[in-house]
Amino acid sequence: MNALINPEMEQALIDAARPILEKGRKGDWAHTCRTIEYARALLQDEAGEADIVIPALYLHDTGWSAIDYQDFIDATPARKKETRSLGLHMKEGARIADGILRDLRYAPAQRSRIVSIIAVHDEPENILALNDLSATLVMEADRLDRYGRRSVKRYEDMFGPDYFKKAAWQEGLAMRRDGLKEWFKTPTAKLLSREMAAQIGLLDEETS
Ligand SMILES: [Fe+2]
């Protein structure tokens, strides 16, 4: 499948999203770039639509720039999904994305799908309930960045250099192991997530 969108539109999305993401959590812009990279790999082999998946990923985390997310930083890995700011960043992100896509005169039908995806992008059940392969690819590409060597630096940047040494990190490991089964639905993402989990030693205990 075509993993690319119109280059001028992509540049316009970058120009709009990057300054916003640089005001969000530390590392959000680099995270976004990695999700685009993973999405392109998925779109090579899966039948999603690049003109939904790629804009949704550029814009998905813009909401962090608009909120106070200290509760998210302070929560243990298993509690982060219950924080007020996690829900709020999706709501604000959907609002910001809608404004940007309107400014760029993105096709209204696609704009509304992208905004709906962003509004629930961190709620796997709600993403899957959309019954939309492109939405699934957005979640998969976003969550692949919880695995792989480059994700380690991202978490240290966001939560401090001792994050992986804290006892609560065990929760993070358990969530990622469960996530391998729960979050990745397409054959390509299943394969890629296991390769990336192996890179950070997540599968070691299974074999020992
Ligand atoms: Fe997010």
Side-chain angles (χ1 to χ4, degrees):
M1 291 296 289
N2 186 3
L4 301 174
I5 63 168
N6 173 303
E8 279 116 59
M9 180 54 78
E10 178 157 3
Q11 192 55 52
L13 284 163
I14 292 171
D15 292 344
R18 183 174 179 166
I20 298 174
L21 289 161
E22 285 176 342
K23 285 190 218 113
R25 300 170 307 174
K26 208 168 169 196
D28 271 353
W29 170 243
H31 157 64
T32 298
C33 293
R34 287 192 296 274
T35 69
I36 297 290
E37 192 187 308
Y38 301 145
R40 291 206 208 284
L42 298 177
L43 285 163
Q44 294 290 341
D45 294 321
E46 302 292 342
E49 299 139 278
D51 57 359
I52 298 291
V53 175
I54 301 293
L57 283 167
Y58 273 121
L59 300 172
H60 78 284
D61 270 344
T62 51
W64 292 110
S65 68
I67 63 167
D68 175 351
Y69 51 83
Q70 194 59 43
D71 61 340
F72 180 79
I73 298 292
D74 294 341
T76 68
R79 300 255 155 182
K80 288 191 191 300
K81 63 177 181 296
E82 297 158 16
T83 58
R84 182 170 177 270
S85 63
L86 189 79
L88 215 50
H89 99 279
M90 291 186 274
K91 195 170 165 224
E92 287 296 309
R95 180 184 63 77
I96 292 168
D98 189 59
I100 290 172
L101 293 170
R102 276 176 200 272
D103 287 349
L104 296 178
R105 303 189 189 290
Y106 217 77
Q110 284 154 316
R111 183 186 77 221
S112 87
R113 276 176 65 200
I114 292 165
V115 169
S116 305
I117 291 169
I118 293 174
V120 296
H121 75 266
D122 268 329
E123 296 170 346
E125 282 165 27
N126 288 330
I127 280 284
L128 297 173
L130 292 172
N131 226 345
D132 175 345
L133 176 59
S134 294
T136 301
L137 294 184
V138 169
M139 175 176 74
E140 290 179 334
D142 186 19
R143 285 176 189 243
L144 278 172
D145 201 32
R146 299 184 187 193
Y147 302 82
R149 282 186 206 97
R150 288 179 295 169
S151 72
V152 173
K153 185 174 180 310
R154 174 184 181 220
Y155 285 94
E156 287 174 347
D157 280 351
M158 247 192 311
F159 303 122
D162 293 333
Y163 188 62
F164 295 98
K165 296 182 198 123
K166 290 182 186 161
W169 173 241
Q170 293 307 316
E171 290 176 13
L173 285 175
M175 285 172 68
R176 279 165 182 73
R177 285 203 186 94
D178 293 344
L180 286 174
K181 292 170 212 128
E182 289 163 17
W183 302 335
F184 302 104
K185 300 296 175 191
T186 66
T188 313
K190 280 181 197 278
L191 207 68
L192 204 53
S193 60
R194 289 193 67 84
E195 276 175 26
M196 291 170 67
Q199 283 176 11
I200 56 169
L202 207 64
L203 305 182
D204 293 352
E205 280 174 28
E206 274 181 26
T207 50
S208 62

